[in-house]
C-alpha cells in the first residue's frame, strides 16, 4: 500500500486519508507518493486501472493526468489558461527564476525532517520521469545549488505547501543537471508573466541557463505532453516586463474621482508655489529648506528637551501617611510597653492597715519596756533544762565548737539565746571554735563574739576564740569536718594555723571538742549536723546541742525526744531564749516578750476579723451569682 | 533478726537505689507497650501550660526562679526539677517577644540555668535569641535572693512566675511581689515551711512531691513518667515498711 | 563537635556520679576517688559563686546603661558591690570595716525583710478564706490560730492552758507526721531525680 507523504510535516500517511493525521494538512492536493512505493515502477505517474489505491490517493485520470500535473494547483492552471488565451505567443525566453524554481521544486524532493527518508529514494521516480520526458536521466543532487530564500517565499503561494518545506532547507537544490521536458519548460516560461522584477540578474542568468537546458531537452523529449502545455510560449524578458503595457482598458471613473486626478502637467515632485523668494531656514531640523511654513518660533524652536524630575511627587499629607506606616511597621518589632499599675489600691491600703496594726503595738512595747506578760519558765519550754545542764557540764577552758548556721534575718529571735550562751561560755573561759556552713556565718559569728566581755570586764576583750570561717562545700563538708577538722579547716580567717597551738593541738577529730553547739534556723541544716556528725559524736558521748528558731523546733524536737536522743539539748524560739536566760539567772528583758505577745494577739485578731468579714461579704455575692 | 538487719543496713541504701533504678528502667523500656497512664489533674501544671501560651500572646515574660539550693546539698533535687521546668517553659516561649528570665540564689544554679537556656535555644535553631543575662543570680542569702528577685518581677513585665526549687519562708515575699504585679504564681519547694507559706500566698502551690512530678506533667520525656510511677510504687513500699515496723515495735519484736 | 560534646558531658557526669555514690557504700574502694571528686566539686562551686557575682554585676551594668525605672537601683547595687569588695579586701572578712558593713546594712535589712514577711503572712492568712473557700482552708486557719494562741500568753487574756497543750500536741503529732510524710516524698523525688541524672536521661548541664 502506498503512503502519501505529507507536504507539510513530511510524515507518511495512509493513502485513504485526505488529511495528514499528524498535522491535518490536506494530502490530496499536494501530497507526494512515498518514494519507497515508487521503486520498481517504471512509470509511476501512469496509474493502471487495477491499482485502485493509487488512483484513490493520487486522484489521477487514467487518460491524461500525471502525478506532476496533479501537483499543480487548479488556480494556476486556470490562470495560465486565461493567460494563454489573451496573450500572443511569446518567444522562448528564459523563465523567471521563481517559477523555474517552483517547477524545480516539483521535480525535486520535498523537504524532509532531519530523520526523514533519504532523498535517494526520490531520485528514481524523478529520474524515471525525466527519462520518459527527455530520454536522459540523471540522478538528482540534493545540494547542487542552494535555493535562494528570497525567491522561495514568493512562490510559496503558487506551488503550495510542498514548497514551504523546501524553503527552509538549504539542501534542496534545483536540479541543474536535470533535463526538463519541453512542457515543463513551457510552463516555466508562461509563469514568468506573473512575476516582475523579482529575479536578480545573476540568478536570472543561472535560471535562464537552467531553463535553456530544459528547453533544449524538451525538444528531444518523447513524453506525451498535453496540448495546453504546448500552447504555452516563452515569456518576455524581465526587462520587458517592467514596462507596463496599455493592455488593460482604462476604467471609467466617476466625475468626482476624475477631478481628484492630479494634473499631469504639473510634476508631482515640483512645489505648488514659487519658493524662490521664500526664506531659507537657518536653524532647526529643516535647515536649508525654502518655503517652510512659518510657525511660531516657540513651536519649532530647537531646544534641548526639558528634563523632567523622576522624583515622586509626594504631598505633605502623603508623606505624613508614609511616616505613619513606617512607624507602625517599626513598632511591630518592638515589644510594646505595658501600662503601669496604680499604686493606691484597696489591697495596698489593707496591707498598710495590717502593718500599722502590728508594728505600732510592738514599737510601743519596746519603747515602754513593758513586762506585763509573764515570761516563760525553763521547765515550760522543752529542751531548755537539758541544754542548760549540758552547757554547765562543759569543762572550763575546754574547746567548744560553735556552728553559726543561721541567717542574719533571724538574729532578732535567736540572738537572745545565743548571747546568753556566749556569755556562759566566756564565763567558763571556754575556747570557742567558730565554724559555719553559710557564707554570711563568719561575719555573723564575729559580730556576736567580738563584743563579748572577758573576765577582766572590758567589753570586746575576749579573745579566747578562733574563727575558722566557712566550711568548704557547706553541709557537704560536714563528714570531713567530723572525721578530720584539721584537714578541712587548716587555718583561721586570720591565716593562723590554730591546730598547732593550744588548746586545739589536742583536737584530732570532732569528738575531741567538749560540745558541739549548732545555731541554726533551718531544720535541714540541723538535720545534716545530726545525721552527718551525730554518729561520730555518739561514740564518745560528746553532746550535740542546738539553738534554733521556732519554725524548726517541731522538726528538731523528735531528735531531742528520741531514745537514745541524738540531740542532748535544744533552745528554740524567743520563749526558749528567755527561759534559758532565766535558767542562768539573766532575767532582764527589754519588753521583747510583751511585744511578742501583743504581736501574736494582733495577728490572731487580724486573721479572725479578716477571714470572717471577707467570708460574710462574699456570701451575698456568691448568692447573687447563683441566682443569676 | 537484728544481726541480719545490721548487716544489710550498711547496704540498705544501695539496695534501695538499685530497686529504684530497676523500676525506672523497667517502666522506661516497657511504657511503649503499655496503655498510656492517666495522671491525676494537678491544676498548677495546667496553669503552667496556659500561662506560657498567654505570656507569648501578650508579649510578656515568664519568670522562673530556681531557688537557692545548692546542687551539692540535699536541696539539689528540687533545683534540678526547676531546671526541667525552665527547659520546657523556654521551649514553649522561645518565640515570645520577651524570652523567659530565670533567677537563682546559687552560682552553680545560675550557670546551669544559662546552659539550659542556651541548649534549648540551640535545639530550636534560635540560638541567636539566647541572652546570658536572662539567667542571673540575685543574692547569696535567702532574704538577699528574695530581695534581688522582687525587682525582676516588678520591672520585667512578668506575666507568670514559676518558683521551683529550694526556697524557704522568704518565698512569701516573692509571691507577694507577684500578686502586686498581677502575675500568676505557681510555686513548689522541698521545704516544709515554704509549702505552708505557699498554701497561703501562692495562686497554685505544689505541695509535697507534686513538684517532682513536673517533668511528667510537662512532657519532659518518658523517663519522667517512668520515675513518677517508680515513686508511686516506692511510696507504697515505704508505707508498708512503716506499718510493718510499727506493728513489730508494738509487739516488741523490734526494740 | 556539637554532637560529641553532649555525649562526652553525659559520660563524664554519669561516671562521676556513680563513683561518688559508690564511695558512700564502699568507702574502702571508692573513698579516695570520692573525696577527690567532692573536693573538685567544692572548688567548682566556689568558682561558680564568683561567676554568679560577676553575672549579677553585668546584668545590673546592662540595666544601668539601658536606663529605665530600675537604673538608679542598679547603680546603687554596683556602687555598693564595689565598695564592699574594696573594704572587705582591705580589712578582711571579719575586719572592722567588714563588720561595720555587715552590722549596719545586711543585718538590719534582713531583719526588716523578715518583719515584712510577717506582715505579708498575716495579710495572706486574713485573705485565705476568700481565696480558697474550702473546708480544709478552715481547718488550716483553725490550726494556725491554735498554734498562735498556744505559743505565748495573750496580752489581755494571759496563758490558756488547754490551748498550750493542744498546740504542743498539734506541733508534735499531726504536724511532724505530715512533715515526715512530705519529707519522705521529697526524698523519693530527690532519689528519682538523681537516678535520672545518673542514667544520663536528664541532663541539666545542657547538651
Amino acid at each position: 500500500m502506498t503512503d502519501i507523504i505529507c507536504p507539510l510535516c513530511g510524515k507518511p500517511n495512509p493513502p485513504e486519508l485526505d488529511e495528514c493525521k499528524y498535522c491535518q494538512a490536506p494530502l490530496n492536493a499536494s501530497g507526494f507518493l512515498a518514494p519507497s512505493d515508487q521503486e520498481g515502477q517504471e512509470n509511476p505517474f501512469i496509474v493502471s486501472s487495477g491499482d485502485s489505491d493509487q488512483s484513490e490517493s493520487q486522484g489521477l485520470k487514467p487518460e491524461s493526468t500525471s502525478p506532476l500535473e496533479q501537483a499543480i494547483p487548479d488556480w494556476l492552471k486556470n490562470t495560465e489558461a486565461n493567460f494563454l488565451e489573451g496573450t500572443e505567443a511569446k518567444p522562448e525566453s528564459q523563465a523567471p527564476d521563481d517559477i523555474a524554481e517552483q517547477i524545480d521544486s516539483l521535480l525535486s524532493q520535498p523537504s524532509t525532517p532531519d530523520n526523514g527518508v533519504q532523498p535517494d529514494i526520490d531520485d528514481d521516480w524523478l529520474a524515471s520521469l525525466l527519462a520518459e520526458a527527455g530520454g536522459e536521466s540523471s540522478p538528482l543532487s540534493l545540494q547542487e545549488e542552494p535555493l535562494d530564500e528570497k525567491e522561495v517565499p514568493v512562490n510559496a503561494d503558487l506551488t503550495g505547501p510542498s514548497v514551504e518545506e523546501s524553503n527552509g532547507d538549504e539542501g534542496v537544490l534545483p536540479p541543474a543537471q536535470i533535463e526538463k521536458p519541453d512542457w515543463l519548460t513551457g510552463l516555466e516560461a508562461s509563469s514568468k508573466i506573473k512575476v516582475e522584477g523579482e529575479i536578480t540578474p545573476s540568478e536570472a542568468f543561472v535560471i535562464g541557463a537552467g531553463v535553456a537546458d530544459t528547453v533544449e531537452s524538451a525538444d528531444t523529449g518523447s513524453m506525451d505532453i498535453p496540448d495546453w502545455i504546448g500552447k504555452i510560449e516563452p515569456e518576455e524578458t524581465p526587462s520587458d516586463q517592467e514596462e507596463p503595457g496599455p493592455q488593460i482598458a482604462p476604467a471609467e471613473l466617476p466625475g468626482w474621482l476624475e477631478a481628484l486626478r492630479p494634473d499631469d502637467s504639473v510634476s508631482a515632485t515640483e512645489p505648488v508655489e514659487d519658493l524662490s523668494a521664500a526664506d531659507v531656514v537657518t536653524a532647526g531640523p529643516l535647515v536649508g529648506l525654502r518655503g517652510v511654513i512659518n510657525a511660531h518660533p516657540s513651536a519649532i524652536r530647537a531646544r534641548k528637551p526639558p528634563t523632567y524630575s523622576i522624583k515622586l511627587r509626594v504631598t505633605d499629607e502623603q508623606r505624613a501617611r508614609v511616616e505613619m506606616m513606617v512607624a507602625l511597621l517599626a513598632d511591630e518589632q518592638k515589644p510594646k510597653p505595658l501600662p503601669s499599675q496604680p499604686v493606691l489600691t484597696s489591697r495596698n491600703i489593707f496591707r498598710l492597715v495590717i502593718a500599722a496594726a502590728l508594728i505600732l503595738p510592738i514599737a510601743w512595747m519596746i519603747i515602754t519596756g513593758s513586762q506585763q506578760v509573764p515570761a516563760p519558765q525553763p521547765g515550760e519550754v522543752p529542751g531548755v533544762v537539758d541544754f542548760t545542764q549540758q552547757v554547765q557540764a562543759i569543762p572550763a577552758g575546754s574547746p567548744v565548737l560553735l556552728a553559726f548556721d543561721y541567717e542574719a534575718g533571724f538574729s532578732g529571735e535567736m540572738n537572745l539565746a545565743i548571747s546568753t550562751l556566749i556569755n556562759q561560755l566566756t564565763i567558763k573561759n571556754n575556747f570557742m571554735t567558730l565554724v559555719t556552713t553559710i557564707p554570711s556565718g563568719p561575719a555573723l559569728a564575729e559580730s556576736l563574739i567580738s563584743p563579748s566581755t572577758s573576765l577582766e570586764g572590758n567589753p570586746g576583750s575576749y579573745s579566747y576564740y578562733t574563727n575558722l570561717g566557712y566550711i568548704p562545700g557547706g553541709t557537704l563538708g560536714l563528714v570531713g569536718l567530723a572525721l578530720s577538722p584539721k584537714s578541712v579547716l587548716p587555718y583561721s580567717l586570720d591565716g593562723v594555723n590554730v591546730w598547732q597551738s593550744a588548746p586545739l593541738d589536742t583536737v584530732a577529730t570532732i569528738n575531741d571538742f567538749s560540745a558541739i553547739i549548732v545555731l541554726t534556723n533551718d531544720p535541714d541544716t540541723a538535720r545534716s549536723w545530726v545525721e552527718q556528725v551525730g554518729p561520730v559524736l555518739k561514740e564518745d558521748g560528746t553532746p550535740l546541742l542546738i539553738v534554733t528558731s521556732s519554725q524548726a523546733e517541731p522538726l528538731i524536737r523528735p531528735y531531742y525526744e528520741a531514745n537514745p536522743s541524738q540531740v542532748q539539748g535544744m533552745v528554740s524560739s524567743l520563749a526558749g531564749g528567755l527561759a534559758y536566760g532565766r535558767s542562768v539567772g539573766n532575767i532582764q528583758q527589754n519588753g521583747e516578750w510583751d511585744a511578742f505577745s501583743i504581736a501574736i494577739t494582733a495577728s490572731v485578731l487580724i486573721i479572725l476579723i479578716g477571714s470572717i468579714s471577707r467570708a460574710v461579704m462574699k456570701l451575698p455575692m456568691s448568692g447573687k451569682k447563683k441566682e443569676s | 533478726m537484728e544481726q541480719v538487719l545490721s548487716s544489710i543496713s550498711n547496704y540498705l541504701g544501695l539496695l534501695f537505689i538499685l530497686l529504684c533504678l530497676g523500676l525506672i528502667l523497667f517502666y522506661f523500656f516497657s511504657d511503649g507497650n503499655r496503655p498510656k497512664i492517666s495522671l491525676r489533674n494537678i491544676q498548677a501544671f495546667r496553669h503552667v501550660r496556659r500561662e506560657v501560651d498567654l505570656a507569648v500572646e501578650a508579649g510578656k515574660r515568664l519568670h522562673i526562679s530556681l531557688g537557692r539550693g545548692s546542687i551539692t546539698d540535699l536541696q539539689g533535687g528540687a533545683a534540678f526539677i526547676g531546671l526541667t521546668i525552665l527547659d520546657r517553659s523556654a521551649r514553649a516561649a522561645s518565640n515570645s517577644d520577651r524570652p523567659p528570665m530565670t533567677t537563682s540564689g546559687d552560682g552553680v544554679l545560675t550557670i546551669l540555668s544559662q546552659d539550659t537556656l542556651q541548649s534549648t535555644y540551640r535545639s530550636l535553631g534560635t540560638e541567636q535569641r539566647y541572652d546570658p543575662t536572662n539567667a542571673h543570680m540575685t543574692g547569696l542569702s535567702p532574704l538577699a535572693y528574695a530581695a534581688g528577685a522582687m525587682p525582676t518581677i516588678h520591672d520585667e513585665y512578668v506575666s507568670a512566675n514559676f518558683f521551683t526549687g529550694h526556697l524557704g519562708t522568704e518565698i512569701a515575699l516573692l509571691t507577694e511581689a507577684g500578686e502586686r504585679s498581677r502575675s500568676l504564681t505557681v510555686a513548689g519547694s522541698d521545704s516544709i515551711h515554704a509549702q505552708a507559706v505557699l498554701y497561703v500566698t501562692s495562686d497554685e502551690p505544689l505541695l509535697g512531691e507534686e513538684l517532682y512530678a513536673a517533668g511528667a506533667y510537662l512532657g519532659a520525656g518518658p523517663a519522667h513518667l517512668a520515675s513518677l510511677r517508680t515513686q508511686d510504687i516506692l511510696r507504697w513500699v515505704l508505707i508498708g515498711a512503716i506499718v510493718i515496723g510499727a506493728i513489730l515495735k508494738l509487739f516488741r519484736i523490734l526494740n | 563537635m556539637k554532637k560529641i560534646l553532649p555525649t562526652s558531658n553525659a559520660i563524664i557526669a554519669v561516671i562521676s556520679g556513680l563513683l561518688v555514690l559508690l564511695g558512700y557504700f564502699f568507702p574502702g574502694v571508692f573513698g579516695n576517688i570520692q573525696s577527690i571528686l567532692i573536693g573538685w566539686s567544692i572548688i567548682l562551686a566556689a568558682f561558680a559563686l564568683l561567676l554568679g557575682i560577676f553575672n549579677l554585676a553585668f546584668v545590673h551594668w546592662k540595666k544601668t546603661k539601658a536606663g529605665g525605672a530600675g537604673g538608679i537601683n542598679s547603680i546603687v547595687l554596683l556602687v555598693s558591690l564595689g565598695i564592699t569588695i574594696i573594704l572587705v579586701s582591705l580589712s578582711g572578712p571579719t575586719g572592722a570595716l567588714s563588720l561595720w558593713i555587715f552590722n549596719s546594712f545586711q543585718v538590719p535589712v534582713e531583719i526588716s525583710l523578715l518583719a515584712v514577711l510577717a506582715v505579708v503572712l498575716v495579710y495572706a492568712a486574713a485573705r485565705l478564706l476568700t481565696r480558697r473557700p474550702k473546708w480544709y482552708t478552715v481547718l488550716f486557719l483553725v490550726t494556725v490560730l491554735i498554734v498562735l494562741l498556744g505559743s505565748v500568753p495573750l496580752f489581755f487574756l494571759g496563758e490558756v492552758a488547754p490551748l498550750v497543750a493542744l498546740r504542743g500536741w498539734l506541733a508534735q503529732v499531726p504536724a511532724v507526721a505530715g512533715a515526715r510524710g512530705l519529707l519522705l516524698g521529697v526524698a523519693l523525688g530527690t532519689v528519682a531525680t538523681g537516678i535520672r541524672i545518673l542514667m544520663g536521661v536528664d541532663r541539666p548541664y545542657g547538651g
Side-chain angles (χ1 to χ4, degrees), chain A residues 158-207:
Chain A
L158 300 177
T159 57
S162 61
V163 182
E164 290 176 0
E165 294 179 3
S166 64
N167 294 344
D169 279 348
E170 296 178 357
V172 178
L173 303 171
Q177 298 181 359
I178 300 173
E179 294 180 356
K180 301 177 184 176
D182 295 335
W183 63 267
L184 188 61
T185 310
L187 187 63
E188 289 176 355
S190 64
S191 63
K192 280 185 184 179
I193 296 171
K194 296 181 181 59
V195 179
E196 297 181 2
E198 295 179 354
I199 301 173
T200 57
S202 59
E203 292 169 352
F205 176 76
V206 170
I207 294 170

Coordinates of all heavy atoms in Angstrom, one line a residue, chain A residues 158-207:
Chain A
L158 N 2.1 29.8 -4.8 CA 1.8 29.3 -6.1 C 1.9 27.8 -6.1 O 1.2 27.1 -6.7 CB 2.7 29.9 -7.1 CG 2.6 31.4 -7.3 CD1 3.7 31.8 -8.3 CD2 1.2 31.8 -7.7
T159 N 2.9 27.3 -5.4 CA 3.2 25.9 -5.5 C 2.7 25.1 -4.4 O 2.7 23.9 -4.4 CB 4.7 25.7 -5.5 OG1 5.3 26.3 -4.3 CG2 5.4 26.3 -6.7
G160 N 2.2 25.8 -3.4 CA 1.6 25.0 -2.3 C 2.5 24.7 -1.2 O 3.7 25.1 -1.2
P161 N 2.1 23.9 -0.3 CA 2.9 23.7 0.9 C 4.1 22.8 0.7 O 5.0 22.8 1.4 CB 1.9 23.0 1.9 CG 0.9 22.4 1.0 CD 0.7 23.4 -0.1
S162 N 4.1 22.2 -0.4 CA 5.3 21.3 -0.7 C 6.5 22.2 -0.9 O 7.6 21.7 -0.6 CB 5.0 20.5 -2.0 OG 4.8 21.4 -3.1
V163 N 6.3 23.4 -1.3 CA 7.5 24.2 -1.5 C 7.9 24.8 -0.2 O 9.1 25.2 0.0 CB 7.2 25.3 -2.5 CG1 8.4 26.2 -2.8 CG2 6.7 24.7 -3.8
E164 N 7.0 25.0 0.8 CA 7.4 25.6 2.0 C 8.5 24.9 2.8 O 9.3 25.4 3.4 CB 6.2 25.8 2.9 CG 5.2 26.8 2.3 CD 3.9 26.8 3.2 OE1 3.9 26.1 4.2 OE2 3.0 27.6 2.9
E165 N 8.3 23.6 2.6 CA 9.3 22.8 3.3 C 10.7 22.9 2.7 O 11.7 22.9 3.3 CB 8.9 21.3 3.3 CG 7.6 21.2 4.1 CD 7.2 19.7 4.1 OE1 7.9 18.9 3.5 OE2 6.1 19.4 4.7
S166 N 10.6 23.1 1.4 CA 11.9 23.2 0.7 C 12.5 24.6 1.0 O 13.7 24.8 0.8 CB 11.7 23.0 -0.8 OG 10.8 24.0 -1.3
N167 N 11.6 25.5 1.4 CA 12.2 26.9 1.7 C 13.2 26.8 2.8 O 14.2 27.5 2.8 CB 11.0 27.8 2.0 CG 10.1 28.0 0.8 OD1 10.5 27.7 -0.3 ND2 9.0 28.6 1.1
G168 N 12.8 26.1 3.8 CA 13.7 26.1 4.9 C 14.9 25.2 4.8 O 15.9 25.3 5.6
D169 N 15.0 24.5 3.9 CA 16.1 23.6 3.7 C 17.1 24.2 2.8 O 16.8 24.6 1.6 CB 15.6 22.2 3.1 CG 15.1 21.4 4.3 OD1 15.3 21.7 5.4 OD2 14.4 20.4 3.9
E170 N 18.3 24.1 3.2 CA 19.3 24.6 2.3 C 19.8 23.5 1.4 O 20.5 23.7 0.4 CB 20.5 25.1 3.1 CG 20.2 26.3 4.0 CD 21.3 26.7 4.9 OE1 22.4 26.0 4.8 OE2 21.2 27.7 5.6
G171 N 19.3 22.3 1.7 CA 19.8 21.2 0.9 C 19.0 20.9 -0.3 O 19.4 20.1 -1.2
V172 N 17.9 21.6 -0.4 CA 17.1 21.3 -1.6 C 17.5 22.2 -2.7 O 17.5 23.4 -2.6 CB 15.6 21.5 -1.3 CG1 14.7 21.3 -2.5 CG2 15.1 20.6 -0.1
L173 N 17.9 21.7 -3.7 CA 18.5 22.4 -4.8 C 17.8 22.2 -6.1 O 17.3 21.0 -6.3 CB 20.0 22.1 -5.0 CG 20.9 22.3 -3.7 CD1 22.2 21.7 -4.0 CD2 20.9 23.7 -3.4
P174 N 17.7 23.2 -6.9 CA 17.2 22.9 -8.2 C 18.1 22.0 -9.0 O 19.3 22.2 -8.9 CB 17.1 24.3 -8.9 CG 18.1 25.1 -8.1 CD 18.2 24.5 -6.7
P175 N 17.6 21.1 -9.5 CA 18.5 20.1 -10.2 C 19.0 20.8 -11.5 O 18.3 20.8 -12.5 CB 17.5 18.9 -10.5 CG 16.2 19.5 -10.5 CD 16.2 20.8 -9.6
A176 N 20.2 21.3 -11.4 CA 20.7 22.0 -12.6 C 21.0 21.0 -13.7 O 21.1 21.3 -14.9 CB 22.0 22.8 -12.2
Q177 N 21.3 19.8 -13.3 CA 21.7 18.8 -14.3 C 20.6 18.0 -14.8 O 20.7 17.2 -15.7 CB 22.8 17.9 -13.7 CG 24.0 18.6 -13.2 CD 25.0 17.6 -12.7 OE1 24.7 16.4 -12.6 NE2 26.2 18.1 -12.3
I178 N 19.4 18.3 -14.3 CA 18.3 17.5 -14.8 C 17.8 18.1 -16.1 O 17.6 19.3 -16.2 CB 17.1 17.5 -13.7 CG1 17.6 16.9 -12.4 CG2 15.9 16.8 -14.3 CD1 16.7 17.0 -11.3
E179 N 17.5 17.3 -17.0 CA 16.9 17.8 -18.3 C 15.4 17.8 -18.2 O 14.8 16.8 -18.0 CB 17.4 16.8 -19.4 CG 18.9 16.9 -19.7 CD 19.3 15.9 -20.8 OE1 18.4 15.2 -21.3 OE2 20.5 15.9 -21.1
K180 N 14.9 18.9 -18.3 CA 13.4 19.1 -18.2 C 12.7 18.9 -19.5 O 13.2 19.2 -20.5 CB 13.1 20.5 -17.6 CG 13.8 20.8 -16.3 CD 13.5 22.2 -15.9 CE 14.3 22.5 -14.6 NZ 14.1 23.9 -14.2
P181 N 11.6 18.4 -19.4 CA 10.8 18.2 -20.6 C 10.3 19.5 -21.1 O 10.4 20.6 -20.4 CB 9.7 17.3 -20.2 CG 9.5 17.5 -18.7 CD 10.8 17.8 -18.2
D182 N 9.9 19.5 -22.4 CA 9.5 20.7 -23.1 C 8.3 21.3 -22.4 O 8.2 22.6 -22.3 CB 9.2 20.5 -24.6 CG 10.5 20.0 -25.3 OD1 11.5 20.4 -24.8 OD2 10.3 19.3 -26.3
W183 N 7.4 20.5 -22.0 CA 6.2 21.1 -21.4 C 6.5 21.8 -20.1 O 5.9 22.8 -19.8 CB 5.2 19.9 -21.2 CG 5.6 18.9 -20.2 CD1 6.3 17.7 -20.6 CD2 5.6 18.9 -18.8 NE1 6.6 17.0 -19.4 CE2 6.1 17.8 -18.3 CE3 5.0 19.8 -17.9 CZ2 6.2 17.5 -17.0 CZ3 5.1 19.5 -16.5 CH2 5.7 18.3 -16.1
L184 N 7.4 21.3 -19.5 CA 7.8 21.9 -18.2 C 8.5 23.2 -18.5 O 8.3 24.2 -17.8 CB 8.7 20.9 -17.5 CG 9.1 21.3 -16.0 CD1 7.8 21.4 -15.2 CD2 10.0 20.3 -15.4
T185 N 9.3 23.2 -19.5 CA 10.0 24.4 -19.8 C 9.0 25.5 -20.3 O 9.1 26.7 -19.9 CB 11.0 24.2 -21.0 OG1 11.8 23.0 -20.7 CG2 11.9 25.4 -21.2
G186 N 8.0 25.0 -21.1 CA 6.9 26.0 -21.4 C 6.2 26.5 -20.3 O 5.8 27.6 -20.2
L187 N 6.0 25.6 -19.4 CA 5.2 26.0 -18.2 C 6.0 27.1 -17.4 O 5.4 28.0 -16.9 CB 5.0 24.8 -17.3 CG 4.1 25.0 -16.1 CD1 2.7 25.5 -16.6 CD2 4.0 23.8 -15.3
E188 N 7.2 26.9 -17.3 CA 8.1 27.9 -16.7 C 8.0 29.2 -17.4 O 8.0 30.3 -16.8 CB 9.5 27.4 -16.6 CG 9.7 26.2 -15.6 CD 11.1 25.7 -15.7 OE1 11.9 26.2 -16.5 OE2 11.4 24.8 -14.8
A189 N 8.0 29.1 -18.7 CA 8.0 30.3 -19.5 C 6.7 31.1 -19.3 O 6.7 32.3 -19.2 CB 8.3 30.0 -20.9
S190 N 5.7 30.4 -19.3 CA 4.4 31.1 -19.2 C 4.2 31.6 -17.8 O 3.6 32.7 -17.6 CB 3.3 30.1 -19.4 OG 3.3 29.0 -18.5
S191 N 4.7 31.1 -16.8 CA 4.6 31.6 -15.5 C 5.4 32.8 -15.2 O 5.3 33.5 -14.2 CB 4.9 30.5 -14.5 OG 6.3 30.1 -14.6
K192 N 6.3 33.1 -16.1 CA 7.2 34.3 -15.9 C 6.4 35.5 -16.0 O 6.8 36.6 -15.5 CB 8.3 34.2 -16.9 CG 9.4 33.3 -16.5 CD 10.6 33.4 -17.6 CE 11.6 32.4 -17.2 NZ 12.7 32.5 -18.2
I193 N 5.3 35.5 -16.7 CA 4.5 36.7 -16.9 C 4.0 37.3 -15.6 O 3.9 38.5 -15.4 CB 3.3 36.3 -17.8 CG1 3.9 35.9 -19.2 CG2 2.4 37.5 -18.0 CD1 2.8 35.3 -20.1
K194 N 3.7 36.4 -14.7 CA 3.2 36.9 -13.4 C 4.2 37.5 -12.5 O 3.9 38.1 -11.5 CB 2.4 35.8 -12.7 CG 1.3 35.3 -13.5 CD 0.6 34.2 -12.8 CE -0.6 33.7 -13.7 NZ 0.0 33.2 -15.0
V195 N 5.4 37.3 -12.7 CA 6.4 37.7 -11.8 C 7.2 38.8 -12.5 O 7.6 38.6 -13.6 CB 7.3 36.6 -11.4 CG1 8.4 37.0 -10.5 CG2 6.5 35.5 -10.8
E196 N 7.3 39.9 -11.8 CA 8.1 41.0 -12.4 C 9.1 41.6 -11.5 O 8.7 41.9 -10.3 CB 7.1 42.2 -12.8 CG 6.1 41.8 -13.8 CD 5.1 42.9 -14.1 OE1 5.3 44.0 -13.6 OE2 4.2 42.7 -14.9
G197 N 10.3 41.7 -12.0 CA 11.3 42.4 -11.2 C 11.7 41.7 -10.0 O 12.2 42.3 -9.1
E198 N 11.5 40.5 -9.8 CA 11.9 39.8 -8.6 C 13.0 38.9 -8.8 O 13.3 38.1 -7.9 CB 10.6 39.1 -8.1 CG 9.5 40.0 -7.7 CD 8.3 39.2 -7.2 OE1 8.4 38.0 -7.3 OE2 7.4 39.8 -6.8
I199 N 13.6 38.9 -9.9 CA 14.7 38.0 -10.1 C 15.9 38.8 -10.4 O 15.9 39.8 -11.1 CB 14.4 37.1 -11.4 CG1 13.1 36.3 -11.1 CG2 15.6 36.2 -11.6 CD1 12.6 35.5 -12.3
T200 N 16.9 38.5 -9.6 CA 18.2 39.2 -9.8 C 18.8 38.8 -11.1 O 18.6 37.7 -11.6 CB 19.1 38.9 -8.6 OG1 19.3 37.5 -8.6 CG2 18.5 39.4 -7.3
P201 N 19.6 39.6 -11.6 CA 20.3 39.3 -12.9 C 21.1 38.1 -12.8 O 21.1 37.2 -13.7 CB 21.1 40.5 -13.2 CG 20.5 41.6 -12.5 CD 19.9 41.0 -11.2
S202 N 21.8 37.9 -11.7 CA 22.7 36.8 -11.6 C 21.9 35.5 -11.5 O 22.2 34.5 -12.2 CB 23.6 36.9 -10.4 OG 22.8 37.0 -9.3
E203 N 20.8 35.6 -10.8 CA 20.0 34.4 -10.7 C 19.3 34.1 -12.0 O 19.0 33.0 -12.4 CB 19.0 34.5 -9.5 CG 19.8 34.5 -8.2 CD 18.8 35.0 -7.1 OE1 17.7 35.4 -7.4 OE2 19.2 34.9 -5.9
A204 N 18.9 35.2 -12.6 CA 18.2 35.1 -13.8 C 19.1 34.4 -14.9 O 18.6 33.5 -15.6 CB 17.8 36.4 -14.4
F205 N 20.3 34.7 -14.8 CA 21.3 34.0 -15.7 C 21.3 32.5 -15.4 O 21.3 31.7 -16.3 CB 22.7 34.7 -15.6 CG 23.7 34.0 -16.4 CD1 23.7 34.2 -17.8 CD2 24.6 33.1 -15.8 CE1 24.7 33.6 -18.6 CE2 25.6 32.5 -16.6 CZ 25.6 32.7 -18.0
V206 N 21.4 32.3 -14.1 CA 21.5 30.9 -13.8 C 20.3 30.1 -14.1 O 20.3 29.0 -14.7 CB 21.8 30.7 -12.2 CG1 21.7 29.3 -11.8 CG2 23.2 31.3 -11.9
I207 N 19.2 30.7 -13.8 CA 17.9 30.1 -14.0 C 17.7 30.0 -15.6 O 17.2 29.0 -16.1 CB 16.8 30.8 -13.3 CG1 17.0 30.7 -11.8 CG2 15.4 30.3 -13.8 CD1 16.1 31.5 -11.0

